[in-house]
Amino acid sequence: MSVVPTDPGFSTTAEALRLHVWQLGPGQPSLVTDLFSPELFHLVVDDRADVHINSRDGRFYLGWFPSGRPGTDGEGWKLSVTGTASAPGYSISFDTETPAEIVAIAVHHVLAGSRPL
């Protein structure tokens, strides 16, 4: 004797199982660096061709490390915001193969949430 389950379990459609094309590869870092105006940010390119961007008040930092950040395992982007006495800061890292478009979206939202005191 066999029992037919009332709930078939996993269910999907052929459309949901179709392969997708996903954005891969580092893309164009200028999509990120072009978000910064020289009036508000300092941009420095060092001897390794790493790019460092700081806010004029020193609380925002973004580093782009095309060959990987020294001392890390493939970290390509590092975004940091220094906290205050009443709120902690934060940092976000992306690896060298993260599409620049993804990093640009994160940076854009961080910048959009800032305001002068």
Side-chain angles (χ1 to χ4, degrees), residues 20-109:
H20 288 79
V21 175
W22 296 98
Q23 189 174 14
L24 298 173
Q28 294 296 320
S30 62
L31 294 173
V32 179
T33 57
D34 287 351
L35 295 172
F36 300 95
S37 68
E39 297 82 31
L40 300 174
F41 296 91
H42 297 285
L43 185 142
V44 174
V45 179
D46 67 18
D47 60 341
R48 285 178 22 104
D50 296 335
V51 177
H52 308 275
I53 300 170
N54 292 351
S55 61
R56 297 237 178 223
D57 67 0
R59 294 195 49 222
F60 174 92
Y61 170 78
L62 177 71
W64 175 50
F65 308 91
S67 300
R69 186 173 175 214
T72 69
D73 187 23
E75 185 178 74
W77 296 89
K78 180 69 169 189
L79 184 154
S80 297
V81 176
T82 303
T84 64
S86 59
Y90 58 91
S91 66
I92 305 166
S93 296
F94 300 93
D95 68 27
T96 56
E97 291 301 311
T98 300
E101 291 86 349
I102 303 298
V103 178
I105 290 167
V107 169
H108 171 78
H109 283 285

